[in-house]
Amino acid sequence: MGSTSCLKNRNICILAHVDHGKTTLADHLIAGSAGGLLHPKQAGRLRFMDYLDEEQRRAITMKSSSISLQYKDYCINLIDSPGHMDFCSEVSTAARLSDGALILVDAVEGVHIQTHAVLRQAWIEKLTPCLVLNKIDRLISELKLSPMEAYNRLLRIVHEVNGIVSAYKSEKYLSDVDSILVGLAGEMGEESQELVEDDEEDTFQPQKGNVAFVCALDGWGFCISEFAEFYASKLGASSVSLQKALWGPRYFNSKTKMIVGKKGIGGGGKARPMFVQFVLEPLWQVYQAALKVDGDKAMLEKVIKSFNLSISSRELQHKDPKVVLQAVMSRWLPLSEAILTMVVKCVPDPISAQSIRISRLLPKREFLDSGVSSDVLEEAEHVRKCVEVCDSSTEAPCMAFVSKMFAVPLKMLPQRGPNGEIVSNSMEDIGGGDSDECFLAFARIFSGVLSCGQKVFVLSALYDPTKTESMQKHVQEAELHSLYLMMGQGLKPVATATAGNVVAIRGLGQYILKSATLSSTRNCWPFSSMVFQLSPTLRVAIEPSDPADMGALMRGLRLLNRADPFVEVTVSSRGEQVLAAAGEVHLERCIKDLKERFAKVSLEVSPPLVSYKETIEEEGSNPLENLKLLSGSTDYVEKTTSNGRCVVRVQVIKLPLALTKVLDESSDLLGDIVEGKSGQRNKSLEAWKENRAAEEENSVAALKKRIIDAIESEIECTSKEFESDRVEKYRSLWFRFLRRIWAFGPRQVGPNILLLPDGNADCYHGKDCILVKGSSPVSEMLGFLNVSDSKTENGNAANELGATRSLYTEAQNLERSVVSGFQLATAAGPLCDEPMWGLAFLVETHIFPAESGPNDSELAIQPEQYGIFTGQVMTVVKEACRAAMLQKKPRLVEAMYFCELNTPTEYLGPMYAVLSRRRARVLKEEMQEGSSLFTVHAYVPVAESFGFADELRRWTSGASSALLVLSHWEALPEDPFFIPKTEEELEEFGDGSSVLPNTARKLIDAVRRRKGLPVEEKVVQHATKQRTLARKV
């Protein structure tokens, strides 16, 4: 393995929607190129890469696994990945270690939602994709399409996939143009120009050789080049010109023996494109000859003789026509030959691939701070260049990326080393104690050479080589115990592995939790983090059936957290062990692994813990009036501290939906901004900016632009209903508020805003007091407010109020208490202690001198009697915020899944019945062209999704399938505290005593009951008179 040239290596992964044939295709590639590891007759039925019992039982892939294939003199590392949305994290791990991707699409079902997801993943990781159109045989045998109809279907799929990739290119190009327009300096211009040139032609073109047409189950497939070479001698044309003509509107004039366009053919009505005439029609003839009872058997003999196929007479005389057909087709157009030839030709070798992917793997970093050592920067740049050229020499620094850790039973480890020596598989390297599971690292070497016994540095994603003192916790030194070449479930020990290879590494179990960078030097940057399409949303609380097994459960959870790249293990505020998974299938597998592999104890699993959010209903249809509520309105909630020295007034409005979504999606970036401020508390904004990397400044400016765009879109909607001067007032009010952002919440990064009180606010009823004005650090960070302006405002505050210096100092000290009260309130709303969503609070806090209170007649009360003053302020702000929200028509917000369903026509009724029971909202339904299947798109609440797939299969006899993807948050329109007030409501519901709880109230009560909060409910539901049962003898 160490001597294999990088130029002869190919690293590919197979990506597709669920059940589109990835593992079946992998079986045929293994049967053709793995040196007898799998018999060709077992290919497609054994599912070699699905070696877990749960995978075989469910017939779906649940993890990414690798195998090394030998094709001619090429070494091809193939990674099979899952297609189910619950295991999308495994797609990310497979894509990071690969250079190219085989994108499979079912020719009957076409492009599905997960196809979009895997294409985006390949685009993000800068992989070179190849398109494989699978299940071509179903067009013939199931749909009974003619060759021309099949060609139009295939053409449409290729156009659709090209359209998806083109949209990603356009999105990147437009974002780069936006970045330039906002005034960001950089090298965007050249990259954008390059993308424009790339976009002139489609990514997938059969004439380029990067599209294959296959039937993975029967083991045959082809690219256009194979037919071009076959027809070149017969038609007297070059194979290159034929390859260009065999796709698209190109026709063959049999009279002139020339290839012409649509206009050059006579009798245009019956003209067939060359792909139909020379490729599809021969395939259709072979299928009809084999499968029809009165088929032309001479056609099969002709194919066998023409291509000199070696097929035994026993196979040809088989009673099952499908066996005969498979024998002929798999030898005429062998699948592994076609796919691997395409891979070698179209997928770049590691040297070429890493030069393309380097901007994604190790983004270039610029430093304006002269305090960084030049030696460190030079060595880091040298490492980056070695990764870029995939330097496989022993002198090159070693760089590898571990995309995930996976558990292997100790008994599955090889008993002999690379040289045949007997090795002892002890547990000392993994720190697993009495566990019989060994953790291996799934890694790709990008530079240098790895060898057994070598010492490397393990770098986390947060490691920064320029800050050696504070980065000790992000770097560890480890020794590699063993290296293995992965062969599906099997492991082949190797002594060394060079750059460009994918290997399994033993000895890193106690150093790596999920992913990390391995390096032979400290002076290098870690590889960029992987991007996951989803986040784990399904949460359950688990506990052992026997409390004595709690220790075993904790050890099992630690092992599971390391073994699964996507699972999250946390402890709730009530002390429960909470397990978060991507979906029901993922959760079931995690629980099964805990019970049988990691913890080996009986478990009690709670019903799913669904997250909600709390918001308010918008007041009326005039947004300008809503904003005016925050400026001089009397519609506020007022509360006073226990000692009477502080009065808090709170007003609240609802933020525009677009702005709420931007803040919700940008929580990570907002977290970086807040941390950057707290870490540089004593420095000015300019000094902070100078010490940040250039790309972070770009992202802050981009976030500012997104916030402004969100508000502008809201203003644009408003401008259609109101005159221009009112719209301008609305715009000026919003931008005034953007200059007064005190904090975001909850946890400093949420979609709620705390606004600074108006500096011109009157004092409390003319009393001698001071207003806690606060500061606007977030507005400064986002660039809505200049630092000099905020300093001027704060510097003159004491003089404006004419208050004593001591009282002013006390007000300054209480600023943190106000913010903390706001954070507590937004983290737990009044309905059911769930986070608030999309609200803006204006908090005015008035502080009185120690000898007086808000009422002159009230006697001075000692503050010590009621505890610390800062704590009282914090509590009052929290209670006031919650009360202000309750006053403004509170609403519950629930998460929604986007659901894509496929069902036959006869089961549409039962499918809609299931959807209606689950409170689903149907978006559209359309019939798939050329089939009896309907595709239905709907939104399903997450709370109603548990058991949805099982119920759907039960009611439709297994004919329907559904795929759920987390989409968005949506407010329930129902008022949880509905009381009849109008004449119509009173006529319908009476006085309200008999009104049943609506959906929102039921959900709120369920959450409150789970959290142990008080619930208003009748103890006796159905009271009846006492009955005395007569005893009859």
Side-chain angles (χ1 to χ4, degrees), residues 808-1032:
Y808 177 68
T809 306
E810 189 175 16
Q812 279 188 319
N813 295 334
L814 287 175
E815 289 179 6
R816 282 192 183 182
S817 298
V818 174
V819 174
S820 298
F822 163 75
Q823 300 294 347
L824 290 172
T826 52
L831 297 181
C832 51
D833 273 9
E834 292 290 319
M836 295 184 188
W837 190 73
L839 301 179
F841 290 91
L842 178 64
V843 179
E844 294 180 2
T845 309
H846 297 276
I847 308 296
F848 294 87
E851 62 275 2
S852 67
N855 300 319
D856 287 337
S857 60
E858 188 176 327
L859 295 175
I861 305 174
Q862 295 299 321
E864 291 78 8
Q865 182 181 347
Y866 299 98
I868 303 173
F869 188 35
T870 54
Q872 293 180 48
V873 173
M874 193 187 307
T875 304
V876 167
V877 170
K878 181 186 78 169
E879 295 301 328
C881 288
R882 289 163 63 106
M885 180 187 162
L886 278 177
Q887 190 176 291
K888 288 290 189 74
K889 298 181 183 177
R891 294 290 183 267
L892 193 68
V893 185
E894 61 179 351
M896 302 292 284
Y897 277 131
F898 173 78
C899 179
E900 184 182 76
L901 303 105
N902 291 290
T903 186
T905 313
E906 59 268 25
Y907 289 109
L908 273 177
M911 184 205 68
Y912 279 121
V914 174
L915 287 176
S916 64
R917 279 195 296 276
R918 301 279 176 162
R919 296 195 290 117
R921 188 170 81 253
V922 177
L923 302 176
K924 70 167 185 177
E925 69 165 36
E926 57 183 11
M927 193 170 188
Q928 293 182 11
E929 188 180 342
S931 74
S932 60
L933 289 176
F934 270 84
T935 298
V936 178
H937 290 168
Y939 285 137
V940 180
V942 170
E944 305 289 344
S945 66
F946 310 114
F948 173 68
D950 289 338
E951 185 182 3
L952 185 68
R953 281 194 295 267
R954 192 167 61 249
W955 279 76
T956 61
S957 303
S960 296
S961 62
L963 193 70
L964 299 170
V965 184
L966 191 65
S967 173
H968 64 284
W969 291 89
E970 189 173 294
L972 279 167
E974 300 169 336
D975 184 358
F977 307 110
F978 171 70
I979 297 174
K981 291 181 180 177
T982 63
E983 288 186 11
E984 293 82 2
E985 290 173 350
L986 289 169
E987 185 178 344
E988 183 176 353
F989 300 107
D991 61 354
S993 59
S994 59
V995 177
L996 295 173
N998 55 29
T999 305
R1001 187 58 181 265
K1002 287 177 182 176
L1003 294 174
I1004 289 171
D1005 286 348
V1007 176
R1008 292 183 71 89
R1009 208 173 282 115
R1010 172 168 61 82
K1011 293 183 175 182
L1013 301 172
V1015 178
E1016 293 180 10
E1017 59 181 348
K1018 294 178 182 177
V1019 178
V1020 180
Q1021 293 291 342
H1022 305 287
T1024 57
K1025 289 183 179 179
Q1026 181 181 359
R1027 294 175 180 176
T1028 306
L1029 299 178
R1031 181 180 298 176
K1032 295 181 180 179

Side-chain angles (χ1 to χ4, degrees), residues 445-722:
I445 308 169
F446 287 94
S447 168
V449 180
L450 275 185
S451 57
C452 296
Q454 179 179 349
K455 289 191 175 182
V456 294
F457 293 105
V458 180
L459 314 178
S460 77
L462 299 176
Y463 179 71
D464 186 342
T466 63
K467 302 175 183 176
T468 52
E469 297 82 9
S470 59
M471 287 290 138
Q472 292 302 321
K473 62 181 178 180
H474 297 302
V475 58
Q476 303 174 76
E477 190 173 7
E479 183 178 341
L480 308 184
H481 185 282
S482 310
L483 297 177
Y484 301 106
L485 185 64
M486 286 173 283
M487 301 296 290
Q489 186 179 14
L491 297 167
K492 180 182 175 183
V494 292
T496 60
T498 57
N501 284 295
V502 176
V503 292
I505 306 172
R506 184 182 176 202
L508 300 173
Q510 59 183 340
Y511 301 102
I512 301 175
L513 181 60
K514 294 184 183 293
S515 63
T517 300
L518 304 182
S519 172
S520 57
T521 173
R522 286 174 179 265
N523 298 330
C524 66
W525 293 97
F527 288 102
S528 59
S529 300
M530 293 181 292
V531 174
F532 295 121
Q533 302 285 343
L534 296 176
S535 58
T537 53
L538 180 58
R539 301 180 300 127
V540 293
I542 54 176
E543 62 182 13
S545 302
D546 182 359
D549 294 329
M550 194 63 193
L553 174 62
M554 298 297 291
R555 285 194 299 273
L557 285 173
R558 281 196 296 270
L559 294 174
L560 176 68
N561 195 26
R562 185 176 295 150
D564 194 309
F566 207 47
V567 79
E568 284 184 5
V569 179
T570 54
V571 180
S572 72
S573 56
R574 298 169 59 194
E576 298 170 313
Q577 299 294 327
V578 176
L579 186 69
E584 284 188 84
V585 181
H586 186 212
L587 178 65
E588 287 173 21
R589 199 198 78 178
C590 291
I591 298 296
K592 190 172 189 295
D593 282 349
L594 265 180
K595 288 180 178 179
E596 298 178 4
R597 293 181 65 188
F598 300 129
K600 295 183 180 178
V601 294
S602 178
L603 298 176
E604 297 293 330
V605 183
S606 75
L609 311 176
V610 183
S611 296
Y612 295 96
K613 295 183 186 296
E614 301 178 21
T615 189
I616 60 173
E617 190 177 52
E618 284 195 68
E619 297 269 348
S621 58
N622 189 343
L624 185 60
E625 296 300 323
N626 293 341
L627 282 186
K628 285 182 177 177
L629 292 175
L630 293 187
S631 50
S633 169
T634 57
D635 187 14
Y636 55 77
V637 169
E638 183 175 296
K639 285 190 178 291
T640 309
T641 56
S642 304
N643 64 3
R645 286 198 54 214
C646 176
V647 175
V648 175
R649 287 178 177 177
V650 174
Q651 296 166 272
V652 60
I653 64 164
K654 187 173 183 181
L655 296 175
L657 186 60
L659 178 59
T660 304
K661 286 182 177 179
V662 168
L663 296 178
D664 212 0
E665 293 165 1
S666 308
S667 58
D668 290 341
L669 181 56
L670 289 174
D672 292 341
I673 294 172
V674 172
E675 286 173 13
K677 178 193 177 299
S678 59
Q680 305 287 337
R681 195 173 298 277
N682 298 323
K683 297 186 180 181
S684 66
L685 183 67
E686 286 79 13
W688 178 77
K689 280 187 175 179
E690 286 175 6
N691 293 326
R692 305 299 285 177
E695 66 269 10
E696 194 161 316
E697 294 179 20
N698 295 353
S699 57
V700 171
L703 174 59
K704 177 185 174 183
K705 184 179 183 302
R706 288 183 65 196
I707 292 174
I708 293 174
D709 289 345
I711 292 173
E712 289 291 348
S713 66
E714 176 77 8
I715 293 170
E716 190 177 336
C717 298
T718 309
S719 62
K720 298 172 184 175
E721 303 174 12
F722 302 103

Side-chain angles (χ1 to χ4, degrees), residues 131-146:
L131 183 62
V132 179
L133 298 176
N134 192 18
K135 305 187 183 182
I136 302 292
D137 60 309
R138 293 181 64 191
L139 302 178
I140 309 171
S141 54
E142 285 185 28
L143 301 187
K144 312 288 186 193
L145 299 183
S146 68

Side-chain angles (χ1 to χ4, degrees), residues 18 37 80 98 139-140 213 236 257 305 316 325 355 396 411 443 482 523 567 590 766 939:
V18 65
L37 199 59
D80 185 25
S98 306
L139 302 178
I140 309 171
F213 305 87
K257 303 290 183 185
K305 286 180 181 177
L316 284 174
L325 177 67
S355 63
K411 59 185 179 182
S482 310
N523 298 330
V567 79
C590 291
Y939 285 137

